[in-house]
Amino acid sequence: MSAPERIPSQQGVSTQEVLSQGELTVVGRITDASNAVLYGQVELAGRRLRCVYKPVSGERPLWDFPDGTLAEREVASYEVCRALGWDLVPPTVLRDGPLGAGMCQLWVGPAPEAADFARGAESLLALVEGEHPEPGWKAVGFAEVAEGRTALLVHADDARLRRLATLDAVINNADRKGGHLLPLPDGRLHGIDHGVTFHVDNKLRTLLWGWAGEPLPAEIRAALGRLADELADGRPLSRRLRELLTEAECQAVRERVAALLAAGAHPAPSGEWPAIPWPLV
């Protein structure tokens, strides 16, 4: 299977336009995903991009999220991330495709057939011996790695991860696993798989608890302040989220942002919901 080439466009079509309007061709399926996750390509005006296509028809029903809403939540996560000013979630759109309406997202990183497709998160997460992390790492908690044996789960004390942890708190991400972290060779970091987000109840479940209770850096507080402004009634982001989420979910986003700004600190586990996803990857 040959990889799609990135061909310069004379018409200057944007990535969003290619994703939303381009001809979508399914190339294969990511087989280890719980829902239907299809690898493909989109092409418009001579520009061809790799993409992920998740049709609504392939979504597995969940007990705590309405059926057929995961694609909209993925798009809403991208819109909120963009409003924060962070390039952490790849461009994501809703569109029709070969299997019906669904989410289409720019593919980042190596192609699925590449040998290092599943690698990358190990530079950001680790299980280590001892009770305290080394410098440059933050402790999350102890995990059982064998019968009667535990190891300390740690993540990098990385500014990109810290922004992602803040985004997860805003969107109420219930499933931030290690496999959802995609660091790229050029220094960028992307987070993917944001379907179980925006619930009105506190469901934050993540591997990025290392900053729990610590003050939010000034640049994150500033980003949250900008987001609060964009969530006000009548603003474009507020109108867009109402197209993707319920009114109660939109209100819950505003309340979570206000709570983060009022506390001035990263949230801690509530104790009302499992704090760490399983499996870890």
Side-chain angles (χ1 to χ4, degrees), residues 130-150:
E131 298 185 356
H132 302 285
E134 295 291 329
W137 294 83
K138 306 291 286 188
V140 177
F142 290 95
E144 185 173 347
V145 295
E147 187 173 351
R149 178 170 170 266
T150 60

Side-chain angles (χ1 to χ4, degrees), residues 49-126:
L49 301 170
R50 297 187 183 102
C51 69
V52 175
Y53 166 48
K54 297 183 182 180
V56 172
S57 61
E59 292 181 5
R60 182 188 62 181
L62 300 173
W63 69 269
D64 53 347
F65 284 83
D67 292 350
T69 66
L70 304 190
E72 285 90 345
R73 296 172 194 278
E74 294 243 31
V75 176
S77 298
Y78 166 69
E79 297 286 359
V80 168
C81 185
R82 187 170 65 167
L84 282 163
W86 299 336
D87 182 26
L88 295 171
V89 179
T92 311
V93 302
L94 284 175
R95 60 162 294 160
D96 287 328
L99 296 178
M103 179 277 275
C104 184
Q105 184 177 79
L106 180 69
W107 181 276
V108 293
E113 65 270 23
D116 60 349
F117 165 59
R119 296 186 176 181
E122 65 268 20
S123 64
L124 301 171
L125 296 162

Side-chain angles (χ1 to χ4, degrees), residues 1 3-4 7 10 20 26 31 45-46 64-65 70-71 84 86 90 122 148 161 169 173 186 208 217 222 261 266 275:
M1 179 173 61
I7 303 173
Q10 299 301 316
S20 60
V26 173
T31 56
D64 53 347
F65 284 83
L70 304 190
L84 282 163
W86 299 336
E122 65 268 20
L161 275 187
N173 192 350
D186 62 8
L208 305 180
L261 286 168
H266 288 274

